[in-house]
């Protein structure tokens, strides 16, 4: 299980966020991965400036599959101008339980 956080440009519209989520879901399905959860945390302040932004739109994904899907998602995040930062973490059982409880 992987936890993927993507931070988008804070100026994105809700329609664009939903379109990006739909696109990323399509990629996840292409790789026969299972998407357990998507959380839209919304616009939050950043701890430090990233690409001249002080805020970002946060998305959280829980994906169950091999590492290949994570590589592809990260590749797409890198070339997407609206994604200002991302991070992928492989969760172990203990981290998974605590993460799901949030």
């Amino acid at each position: 299980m992987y936890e993927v956080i993507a931070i988008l440009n804070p100026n994105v519209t809700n329609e664009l966020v939903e379109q990006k989520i739909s696109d990323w879901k399509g990629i996840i399905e292409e790789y026969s991965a299972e998407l357990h959860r998507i959380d839209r945390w919304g616009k939050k302040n950043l701890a430090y400036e990233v690409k001249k932004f002080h805020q970002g739109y946060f998305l959280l994904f829980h994906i169950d599959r091999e590492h290949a899907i994570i590589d592809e998602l990260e590749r797409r995040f890198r070339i997407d101008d609206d994604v200002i930062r991302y991070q992928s973490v492989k969760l172990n059982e203990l981290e998974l339980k605590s993460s799901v409880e949030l």
Side-chain angles (χ1 to χ4, degrees):
M1 173 81 65
Y2 288 90
E3 184 174 79
V4 179
I5 296 176
I7 305 173
L8 304 177
N9 172 340
N11 301 321
V12 296
T13 63
N14 287 335
E15 295 81 23
L16 184 61
V17 170
E18 293 306 318
Q19 182 205 355
K20 288 190 179 297
I21 290 172
S22 176
D23 293 346
W24 295 332
K25 276 183 182 178
I27 296 165
I28 292 167
E29 289 170 2
E30 275 180 35
Y31 279 78
S32 302
E34 188 174 341
L35 181 61
H36 287 278
R37 174 181 185 176
I38 298 176
D39 283 342
R40 294 160 183 84
W41 290 348
K43 204 180 287 188
K44 304 256 184 220
N45 290 328
L46 300 171
Y48 55 89
E49 188 176 292
V50 177
K51 295 186 179 179
K52 299 185 181 179
F53 293 111
H54 295 281
Q55 290 186 323
Y57 191 96
F58 285 70
L59 296 170
L60 170 78
F61 299 88
H62 280 175
I63 302 168
D64 194 11
R65 192 64 182 157
E66 298 300 320
H67 191 69
I69 181 59
I70 302 304
D71 290 340
E72 179 61 19
L73 276 176
E74 287 181 351
R75 185 186 75 77
R76 301 280 177 115
F77 291 160
R78 273 192 300 276
I79 61 176
D80 190 331
D81 290 335
D82 289 321
V83 177
I84 60 173
R85 190 68 92 223
Y86 60 89
Q87 182 174 10
S88 304
V89 178
K90 185 171 184 172
L91 301 176
N92 63 30
E93 284 297 316
L94 184 57
E95 291 170 331
L96 179 62
K97 287 179 186 176
S98 66
S99 178
V100 171
E101 291 172 2
L102 294 175

